[in-house]
Amino acid sequence: MEMRVYKGDLTQEKADLLVVGHFSDAKVLSGALSILDKAMAGRLAKLMNEDGFKAKLATTFFTHVNGEIAAKRVLVVGLGKKEEVDLEAVRQAAAVAVNVAKECGAKTVVSELHLHGGLKASDCAQAMVEGARLADYSFNKYKKPSHKSPKLFAIVANDGRDVRSAEKGLALGELAAQGTIFARDLVNTPAHDVHPETLVDVAKAIAKGKSSIRVRVFDREALKRMGAGGILGVAQGSDHPPYLVHMTYKPAKPSKKSIALVGKAVTFDSGGLSLKPADFMMTMKCDMAGAAAVLGAFSVIARLAPAVEVHGIFGAVENMPSGGAIRPGDVLTAMNKKTMEVLNTDAEGRLTLADTLSYAVKLKPSFIVDLATLTGACVVALGEEITGLMSNDDKVAAHVLSAAALAGEKMWRLPLEKNYKKVIKSQVADLQNIGNKWGGALTAGLFLEEFVDKTPWVHLDIAGPAFAERDIDAYTHKGATGHGVRTLSALLRSL
Ligand code: BES
Ligand code: ZN
Ligand code: ZN
């Protein structure tokens, strides 16, 4: 699907599907819709009325055209209340248009730029590109596509200034969408095709031919020398060896500031000897979604061109039961020398992150952001669509939350309650890897905090939003979502 922005007259566009927006609280037709309605001699308003179309957000009205305008069909997309139109409404509207185009087999889609309220043309175009591209996504590695994509999605603006601004947004939207799709593909690929060594290859492939990106890989022997007991312990039960991967992006103009992006990279989480029930194991190829988000961001980082140095770090392992696997009761020593009693081998993410975060701290970054499908408890607390954010630094937390809001990824801050630290104190080690029955997302966050020293740090528990067990909205279909990549892209651009 090609995407373009240009200045044009909607009545003259020879599209298979012409798309305009409408507000649920509009008394009269306005903007592009009123122009189309006039060209169609009031027929559009009459039909919408007959259908009882209310223009609630992401609802649609669809009609064929009798030659009154150049397009074959018109799609009116509801944007909700005029005052409430935000970038997410715009993203959903563009996604809905692509979904309808796929259903009716439209090859060319031309949409107005949904520029309303105080929104900027560049942000609107970026949101439209993201919505359209992500709605168009399907995972076809192991089957034939069930729908044909449109060939063209064009965005039409009324004035030249908006076009120039929208073109910039289009380029950014393409990067954010491409990074997200990169992550979706990695997460959707079954665990028999994504082993820890596969993630090493992916990191190397991203860096290949790019002078701004370097990759360092630490294998099992190196990890032993470094004292990475968490990663080594979790990997013990698997036939596939673990790796620590460290990617570095350096900006063209050297910068003293650097940030570290850390991802959980468990390529399959069976639970280990504390084996998961079958139903819970079904989607556990998604347990490397944190690393996939970091890799997704790195796949476009050279073109995003952030002004600071960026580290991407993950400890890739597979969590399997076997005669060699770690046992409940075993004690592991992390890279920062803290000891961890493994009471449940299914709480493996924090064991690997203990080492990965310790490693990140040594790089002395301005701040660390980690993304991890860490706890089912976070999904219980916030549901499937919202990431739990925990942080030891209010400023960095606010910064990440505002990037997430701009990117349309839902995140909510949870507390790192000091009083709960006592439930992860161990009888035999510095820490134990599970708390009590309650507040599991928080006790996992507190566990991680033990490995970041004083470095400003944001922990994103993406266990809910990383993988959709059903269709969530117009551009988040069942399967991997690529959640986190758009927030990271927005964050990197803002530094
Ligand atoms: N990978 C899981 C968490 C998860 C759950 C991710 C649902 C995605 C969707 C993690 O390793 C895990 O198993 N956590 C345990 C921790 C518990 C044993 C303290 C959990 O949440 O049940
Ligand atoms: Zn687990
Ligand atoms: Zn896990």
Side-chain angles (χ1 to χ4, degrees):
M1 187 169 76
E2 184 201 342
M3 299 205 67
R4 254 195 264 153
V5 191
Y6 52 85
K7 186 174 157 181
D9 169 358
L10 289 176
T11 62
Q12 305 297 315
E13 292 295 330
K14 286 202 197 68
D16 292 337
L17 189 66
L18 191 64
V19 187
V20 289
H22 190 29
F23 306 111
S24 59
D25 54 350
K27 297 273 179 306
V28 290
L29 303 190
S30 64
L33 186 55
S34 98
I35 294 168
L36 284 190
D37 186 56
K38 277 200 191 100
M40 290 170 73
R43 204 165 67 82
L44 201 50
K46 188 165 158 278
L47 289 171
M48 273 166 45
N49 214 2
E50 280 171 11
D51 264 21
F53 178 59
K54 297 275 185 300
K56 284 200 184 127
L57 182 57
T59 59
T60 55
F61 168 80
F62 178 85
T63 182
H64 285 262
V65 171
N66 294 334
E68 305 113 314
I69 58 173
K72 279 200 194 125
R73 310 172 183 88
V74 171
L75 176 72
V76 184
V77 181
L79 293 169
K81 286 189 183 154
K82 186 164 187 169
E83 283 295 301
E84 292 171 11
V85 175
D86 57 8
L87 287 177
E88 185 53 20
V90 171
R91 215 176 264 115
Q92 294 293 341
V96 164
V98 169
N99 292 337
V100 171
K102 277 167 117 181
E103 258 164 49
C104 71
K107 286 276 144 283
T108 52
V109 183
V110 175
S111 173
E112 70 161 319
L113 177 67
H114 301 296
L115 185 55
H116 304 290
L119 300 178
K120 282 193 265 172
S122 57
D123 290 343
C124 274
Q126 176 174 354
M128 286 182 70
V129 173
E130 290 171 356
R133 281 270 182 242
L134 296 178
D136 189 36
Y137 173 81
S138 61
F139 180 63
N140 300 311
K141 235 182 228 173
Y142 305 88
K143 66 163 176 58
K144 284 209 183 73
S146 50
H147 287 283
K148 281 214 170 108
S149 300
K151 282 202 162 55
L152 173 72
F153 189 107
I155 300 171
V156 170
N158 317 324
D159 87 66
R161 239 194 27 223
D162 287 347
V163 170
R164 283 189 297 282
S165 162
E167 271 169 349
K168 292 196 187 106
L170 183 139
L172 285 174
E174 290 284 19
L175 292 181
Q178 203 184 310
T180 303
I181 287 168
F182 190 97
R184 283 184 178 184
D185 279 340
L186 255 182
V187 175
N188 277 326
T189 305
H192 68 81
D193 279 338
V194 179
H195 297 296
E197 56 267 35
T198 318
L199 295 182
V200 173
D201 294 342
V202 170
K204 285 182 178 164
I206 286 172
K208 196 169 179 199
K210 292 191 196 83
S211 56
S212 60
I213 306 178
R214 288 273 143 78
V215 187
R216 285 182 76 186
V217 179
F218 302 92
D219 64 7
R220 188 165 355 224
E221 288 312 310
L223 289 168
K224 278 183 194 160
R225 285 194 294 276
M226 293 153 85
I231 293 173
L232 289 166
V234 174
Q236 245 171 252
S238 169
D239 289 344
H240 296 272
Y243 295 93
L244 181 81
V245 177
H246 174 191
M247 309 175 78
T248 307
Y249 160 84
K250 281 200 192 322
K253 210 170 110 227
S255 158
K256 282 219 180 75
K257 207 174 154 180
S258 76
I259 67 161
L261 308 177
V262 168
K264 172 172 171 181
V266 177
T267 58
F268 188 74
D269 183 10
S270 69
L273 288 180
S274 313
L275 197 66
K276 280 185 187 295
D279 283 359
F280 288 70
M281 215 190 288
M282 244 158 12
T283 57
M284 279 305 134
K285 65 177 180 183
C286 83
D287 217 19
M288 33 59 79
V294 174
L295 287 163
F298 263 81
S299 74
V300 293
I301 203 165
R303 280 174 292 151
L304 275 174
V308 302
E309 195 170 298
V310 185
H311 302 285
I313 310 162
F314 56 87
V317 295
E318 186 185 40
N319 188 22
M320 297 294 259
S322 87
I326 40 166
R327 297 152 281 252
D330 285 359
V331 174
L332 306 173
T333 305
M335 215 187 279
N336 73 348
K337 298 291 190 291
K338 287 194 185 176
T339 54
M340 314 178 281
E341 185 187 11
V342 182
L343 289 178
N344 188 318
T345 64
D346 195 13
E348 83 298 339
R350 66 198 75 183
L351 301 172
T352 66
L353 287 164
D355 289 331
T356 322
L357 290 169
S358 303
Y359 180 91
V361 166
K362 288 198 216 161
L363 303 169
K364 298 195 186 337
S366 317
F367 64 87
I368 301 174
V369 179
D370 83 66
L371 303 93
T373 44
L374 202 61
T375 66
C378 196
V379 194
V380 173
L382 296 174
E384 304 162 88
E385 299 184 31
I386 306 176
T387 280
L389 179 150
M390 282 148 266
S391 178
N392 60 0
D393 187 294
D394 290 347
K395 248 173 91 180
V396 182
H399 193 158
V400 173
L401 283 170
S402 80
L406 194 68
E409 295 186 316
K410 294 167 204 155
M411 300 193 182
W412 192 259
R413 190 167 179 188
L414 301 173
L416 289 170
E417 173 52 50
K418 285 194 174 48
N419 255 356
Y420 294 167
K421 277 192 189 177
K422 52 179 169 290
V423 306
I424 52 168
K425 285 257 150 17
S426 160
Q427 288 270 297
V428 298
D430 295 328
L431 295 161
Q432 62 180 42
N433 78 332
I434 52 169
N436 59 19
K437 264 206 273 187
W438 314 111
L442 281 49
T443 47
L446 286 167
F447 186 97
L448 299 186
E449 194 181 14
E450 297 290 324
F451 300 90
V452 297
D453 285 348
K454 295 273 174 302
T455 312
W457 153 77
V458 168
H459 161 52
L460 302 175
D461 191 332
I462 60 170
F467 198 85
E469 293 194 25
R470 54 185 177 83
D471 289 353
I472 298 286
D473 57 37
Y475 64 81
T476 315
H477 300 144
K478 188 174 165 158
T481 60
H483 181 90
V485 176
R486 284 184 285 135
T487 297
L488 292 181
S489 310
L491 182 70
L492 292 175
R493 294 275 315 166
S494 72
L495 293 167

